[in-house]
Amino acid sequence: MNVISNNGNGELLKQQHTNGNGLTANGEANGISNGVSNGVAANTAAGYICRQNVINFNPGPSKIDDSVLLKAQSELLSYQQLGLGVMEMSHRSTEFLSIVNGAQQDIRELLDVPDNYKILFLQGGATGQFSSIAMNLMDLKESQSADYFVTGTWSNKAVKEAAKYGTVNVVHPKLDKFTQIPDKSEWNLNPNASYVYYCDNETVDGVEFPFIPDTGDVPLVADMSSNILSRPFDVTKFGAIIAGAQKNIGCAGVTIAIIRDDLLGKSMKICPSVLDYGVQAGMNSLYNTPPAYSIYLMGLVLKWIKGCGGAVAMSKRNLTKSQLLYSTIAQSNEFYWSVFHTTVIIIDDCRYFI
């Protein structure tokens, strides 16, 4: 099965193998000893052939378009002819600052993020943000309480972390199984809560919100690790959005946090500086050494998404994939079946090709 998108990548790869990455036909890299480089071209070609027959349905890091990986490969040894790669350069350098600013601007354009939101590049994954969210936002109100939707494994972990820093209220009756979104008539939102938290798409359990919860004046916080940029959405409905990059927009290592300005600088005294959104925003995500290469690769994926047509184009791809999957299930004579309500499920990863 050919899973590589039909966008000219095959021809690009052919060019890269012959004259685009400094490799000669016998695998010798220009200016690098044979002991390091012998067989590189052959291994790359073999790897490309293997990729054509693989669709990655694993719940963790997912496939990245070949054109992105080839671009990264071409700049691995020398980024923009600097003589060193991104993973070697100073994170205080002009070149790396340009990478950070470029990725931020691309996210702002792709998601139409208003100017009164900061875009941060952090570490620790969305799991690390379970604590960060609470330590940064729990003190927004004197109640030091937060409302949580618990609709799957990840939001269940998040609520346990938040309980270490304040009072948490699960806004709906406890679910016996994570197979659907609780009906709005069952919600019990606290108007005095500091924030409301939910996981937009639960990868382990397979449930996704088909709408954005209305929380009134209480800031809404969403974990969008597995469906960020899979479709357009209104950022202004959120106080904060967190997302690990590895599912849709890059490789493991960098976590995005989009935080509204009025929520910055309200962290608990016990919040470590490296987890403090106000501190990180003030330092443009460079308070400490960031996951430099992960940010760089994410920037390449963001440019690829823009080239494909942005979040609208990703949404169309995902609808096609979803229809293909569910039609296969429906036509399998119950060999396959879904235990979920299909109205709340979309196949979200924008880098699985059909």
Side-chain angles (χ1 to χ4, degrees), residues 35-341:
V36 174
S37 62
N38 282 347
V40 171
N43 289 339
T44 303
Y48 177 75
I49 294 172
C50 291
R51 287 178 64 84
Q52 295 185 64
N53 298 308
V54 173
I55 297 178
N56 182 6
F57 284 107
N58 290 313
S62 53
K63 294 188 72 174
I64 296 174
D65 188 79
D66 294 280
S67 63
V68 172
L69 295 179
L70 288 167
K71 175 66 173 177
Q73 179 193 52
S74 71
E75 295 183 328
L76 182 64
L77 298 180
S78 180
Y79 175 74
Q80 296 186 355
Q81 307 304 312
L82 289 176
L84 75 166
V86 174
M87 65 181 70
E88 303 168 288
M89 69 173 56
S90 168
H91 64 288
R92 308 289 185 192
S93 66
T94 301
E95 291 79 12
F96 185 71
L97 184 60
S98 178
I99 291 172
V100 170
N101 291 339
Q104 288 174 341
Q105 184 59 35
D106 285 340
I107 291 174
R108 199 170 290 279
E109 292 177 8
L110 284 165
L111 292 176
D112 195 20
V113 180
D115 291 339
N116 64 320
Y117 285 77
K118 294 294 188 294
I119 299 172
L120 309 179
F121 299 144
L122 308 173
Q123 302 181 63
T127 302
Q129 291 302 305
F130 296 165
S131 296
S132 295
I133 286 290
M135 285 191 285
N136 278 275
L137 305 182
M138 194 69 80
D139 274 1
L140 289 174
K141 299 279 185 69
E142 291 184 4
S143 63
Q144 290 188 317
S145 66
D147 284 352
Y148 273 70
F149 289 89
V150 180
T151 55
T153 298
W154 296 113
S155 53
N156 193 39
K157 289 185 176 182
V159 74
K160 291 177 181 178
E161 284 297 310
K164 298 176 182 178
Y165 307 103
T167 302
V168 295
N169 168 48
V170 178
V171 304
H172 52 80
K174 184 177 180 179
L175 301 174
D176 294 328
K177 294 181 179 180
F178 297 132
T179 59
Q180 61 182 324
I181 306 300
D183 188 81
K184 294 180 182 179
S185 63
E186 299 180 312
W187 297 3
N188 182 26
L189 294 168
N190 176 11
N192 294 315
S194 294
Y195 63 91
V196 179
Y197 181 101
Y198 80 110
C199 181
D200 200 38
N201 185 51
E202 294 275 4
T203 52
V204 174
D205 305 284
V207 177
E208 181 181 40
F209 276 74
F211 58 88
I212 298 174
D214 182 2
T215 59
D217 294 331
V218 179
L220 180 63
V221 178
D223 176 357
M224 292 189 175
S225 292
S226 60
N227 62 356
I228 187 82
L229 274 171
S230 67
R231 63 176 186 267
F233 64 90
D234 186 356
V235 172
T236 65
K237 293 184 180 296
F238 298 88
I241 297 166
I242 59 171
Q246 68 274 11
K247 302 289 179 64
N248 274 17
I249 54 175
C251 65
V254 61
T255 305
I256 299 169
I258 303 174
I259 314 293
R260 203 172 63 209
D261 286 349
D262 63 303
L263 303 181
L264 296 171
K266 308 293 179 63
S267 63
M268 293 179 164
K269 292 182 179 180
I270 63 171
C271 182
S273 296
V274 73
L275 301 180
D276 190 314
Y277 296 147
V279 171
Q280 289 285 6
M283 297 293 293
N284 195 25
S285 301
L286 299 176
Y287 173 75
N288 64 323
T289 305
Y293 198 79
S294 297
I295 294 173
Y296 158 75
L297 192 63
M298 177 181 66
L300 296 184
V301 175
L302 292 170
K303 292 187 184 305
W304 172 78
I305 293 175
K306 289 178 69 175
C308 290
V312 172
M314 295 297 104
S315 179
K316 292 179 180 178
R317 286 187 178 208
N318 292 327
L319 179 60
T320 299
K321 289 181 285 186
S322 179
Q323 291 173 339
L324 176 63
L325 178 63
Y326 284 108
S327 64
T328 300
I329 293 174
Q331 296 168 15
S332 69
N333 294 320
E334 297 187 349
F335 184 82
Y336 302 108
W337 70 92
S338 173
V339 298
F340 304 104
H341 295 262

